[in-house]
């Protein structure tokens, strides 16, 4: 399914755009927890999420003392530390986030400390900043706030690496200064029982480049909202996602590119694979082109590869448009099983069926992994894809030589 | 010694109205060193023959046999047939996004030989094969068939033929959609393969054009799911002059 600019224009002529955004996709925000009711699951923004498995994170679960260790490296020129009190409070809303869920409002109001990653203006950070979050007790319900501040014309890569067992609600706020070039990668490589509810909100400065990559393999329930707004014209956001759901897993990714400034760009590509009974993935891609956002370009794409029976992939692109004066807007969504013709072609060259399936899945993810553009994690992602494949597609064969050294 | 023997082959394909018989008793023997051309009008079942030999799941064998050096081909899976020495150059090679040509070639070679090729000679072999088919060495980094021009797809098929070195090659309309320069390059590749010891070629084509560059030992006219007439290469010249009308009216 693809929407072209022309069809968008003709739709606009039929129905004049409202002056103010009134959309069920985006409930009104508030910092006051009391303004947000506990969700029932019938709300548009909650209807896919199995609330029972959230252990109350969406409602009023106690935010306990953290059982998730948090460690990081500190490349030269960067300040990274836990801050509390007034300094932490001042960071709430750094990204322009006004919470539109009860849980995010609670995180901003109740969590006493923030992890601050502060990159001064004009600083080019020579290596990725890697924050390791390793959960140790899934029975502890907890919450965290991360604030990333990238000064004008700075350049940095941040990797948030989630492992172990946690039940955690996390708000990550990202402020990308004018002309900065920032990549934020969040890897959800949790143990099977983890529950992770997260909201990543970025504000992209004038002429800045922002790349966000959400990579989800593990966990019982992982839901991430990756949102972006623009602080001035010329900003560009690339929203990437890779997920692999196994039996019983619920992995939900939502993006929201809110074009709040003219001549901004958003480009989203999310790719997922599903295998095993009751593996469930959800992708909801929201794009809003505000009246002010003339000359913008947006494209969003979601592709799912269903490897076994019994899986469900939901994929919903939403495009709301208040001005037709744009460069382009489109979306595509496809969910499919293996292509028989691809498998036949590979097998007709002597490659076994399983090896052919493996090639196709690696191929499916390869381009995306390269697009993430962080060489130090590429091998790990390929290895993890391989390990996921070993659970079903390749469970009867050993490792075959030809992989991993793709030149 | 290579010998592909097709005996009274019957094949159906599933349609909305139930199974439809496409091949109605094909009998053909390709001995080592021989090149057989199969010519016929559209819809005569030429490509069905090619895909049936290779084992495409869309086609159901309802009768007859295919053997390669005495081995029952029809009982083998698609990949086993390839490993037994069959190669199908496809009319419409399939895109495999994200899988590089070099990875694909190495994986295929490893599967066919049962062991990984020696790196140093392999790189040389691949570059040589690409060069002979007028494909840039950077071709190896591209995704298989993705964004290839029609000519590049066909030349890539013939590069595989050279590198995988099967016993019998089935070429399904490899000449279609090629300009004259690309056709010559492809034909030279096929001829290099034919010069190797003991190779058989089954060349399926709609046009006589490619037979000016690849000289067949035998020509078979394929009409309505079976061989209507067989002869030497002079039969191709006759077809060039007269077309398929004679056979088509007979079939009706």
């Amino acid at each position: 399914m693809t929407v072209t600019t022309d069809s968008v224009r003709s739709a606009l002529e039929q129905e004049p755009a409202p002056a103010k955004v009134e959309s069920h996709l985006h409930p009104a925000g508030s910092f006051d927890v009391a303004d947000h009711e506990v969700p029932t699951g019938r709300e548009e923004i909650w209807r896919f999420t199995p609330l029972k498995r959230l252990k109350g994170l969406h409602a009023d679960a106690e935010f306990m003392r953290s059982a998730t260790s948090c460690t990081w490296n500190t490349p030269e020129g960067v300040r990274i530390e836990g801050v509390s009190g007034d300094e932490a409070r001042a960071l709430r809303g750094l990204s322009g986030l006004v919470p539109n869920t009860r849980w995010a409002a609670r995180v901003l109001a109740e969590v006493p400390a923030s992890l601050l990653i502060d990159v001064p203006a004009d600083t080019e950070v020579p290596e990725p900043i890697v924050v390791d979050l390793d959960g140790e007790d899934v029975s502890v319900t907890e919450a965290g706030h991360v604030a990333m501040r990238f000064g004008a014309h700075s350049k940095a890569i941040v990797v948030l690496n989630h492992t172990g067992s946690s039940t955690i609600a996390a708000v990550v706020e990202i402020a990308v200064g004018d002309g900065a070039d920032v990549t934020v990668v969040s890897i959800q490589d949790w143990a099977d029982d983890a529950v992770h509810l997260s909201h990543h909100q970025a504000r992209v400065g004038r002429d800045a480049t922002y790349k966000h990559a959400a990579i989800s393999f593990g966990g019982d329930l992982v839901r991430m909202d990756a949102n972006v707004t623009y602080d001035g014209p010329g900003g560009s956001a690339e929203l990437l996602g890779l997920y692999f759901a196994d039996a019983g897993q619920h992995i939900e990714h939502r993006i929201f590119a809110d074009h709040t400034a003219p001549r901004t760009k958003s480009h989203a590509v999310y790719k997922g694979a599903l295998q095993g009974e009751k593996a469930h993935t959800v992708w909801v891609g929201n794009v809003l082109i505000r009246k002010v956002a003339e000359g913008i370009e947006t494209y969003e794409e979601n592709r799912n590869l269903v490897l076994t029976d019994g899986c469900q992939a939901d994929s919903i692109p939403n495009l709301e448009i208040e001005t037709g004066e744009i460069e382009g807007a489109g979306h595509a969504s496809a969910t499919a099983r293996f292509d028989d013709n691809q498998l036949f072609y590979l097998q007709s060259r002597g490659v076994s069926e399983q090896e052919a399936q493996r090639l196709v899945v690696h191929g499916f993810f390869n381009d995306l992994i390269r697009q993430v553009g962080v060489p130090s994690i590429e091998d790990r992602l390929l290895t993890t894809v391989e390990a996921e494949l070993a659970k079903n597609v390749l469970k009867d064969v050993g490792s075959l030589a030809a992989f991993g050294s793709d030149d | 010694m290579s010998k592909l023997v097709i005996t009274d082959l019957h094949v159906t394909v599933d349609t909305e109205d139930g199974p439809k018989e496409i091949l109605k008793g094909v009998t053909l023997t390709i001995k080592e060193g021989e090149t057989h051309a199969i010519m016929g009008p559209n819809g005569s079942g030429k490509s069905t023959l090619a895909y049936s030999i290779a084992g495409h799941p869309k086609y159901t064998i309802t009768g007859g046999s295919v053997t390669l050096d005495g081995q029952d081909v029809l009982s083998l899976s698609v990949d086993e047939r390839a490993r037994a020495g069959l190669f199908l150059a496809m009319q419409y090679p399939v895109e495999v996004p994200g899988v590089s040509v070099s990875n694909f070639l190495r994986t295929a070679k490893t599967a066919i030989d049962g062991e990984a090729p020696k790196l140093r000679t392999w790189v040389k072999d691949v570059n040589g094969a690409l060069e002979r088919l007028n494909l840039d060495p950077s071709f190896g980094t591209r995704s298989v068939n993705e964004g290839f021009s029609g000519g590049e797809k066909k030349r890539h098929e013939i590069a595989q033929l050279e590198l995988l070195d099967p016993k019998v090659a089935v070429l399904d309309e490899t000449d279609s959609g090629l300009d004259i320069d690309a056709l010559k390059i492809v034909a030279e590749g096929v001829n290099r393969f034919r010069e190797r010891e003991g190779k058989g070629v089954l060349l399926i084509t709609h046009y006589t054009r490619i037979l000016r560059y690849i000289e067949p030992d035998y020509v078979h006219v394929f009409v309505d799911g079976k061989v209507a007439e067989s002869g030497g290469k002079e039969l191709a010249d006759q077809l060039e002059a007269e077309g398929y009308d004679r056979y088509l009216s007979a079939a009706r």
Side-chain angles (χ1 to χ4, degrees), chain A residues 342 345 349-350 366 406-407, chain B residues 83 88 98 102-103 157 160:
Chain A
Q342 281 183 352
Y345 186 72
R349 273 41 177 164
N366 264 347
D406 197 297
D407 42 359
Chain B
R83 294 200 292 274
L88 170 62
S102 63
N103 186 13
E157 295 290 285
Q160 294 171 50

Side-chain angles (χ1 to χ4, degrees), chain B residues 75-121:
Chain B
S75 67
L76 302 177
S77 64
V78 176
D79 49 305
E80 285 169 342
R81 295 180 197 201
R83 294 200 292 274
L86 280 171
F87 179 86
L88 170 62
M90 296 189 200
Q91 185 179 1
Y92 302 110
V94 183
E95 294 182 3
V96 191
V99 176
S100 71
V101 166
S102 63
N103 186 13
F104 165 67
L105 293 175
R106 190 174 57 236
T107 304
K109 185 67 175 173
T110 302
I112 297 274
D113 289 1
E115 59 179 357
K118 292 208 168 41
L119 193 62
R120 180 180 280 190
T121 50

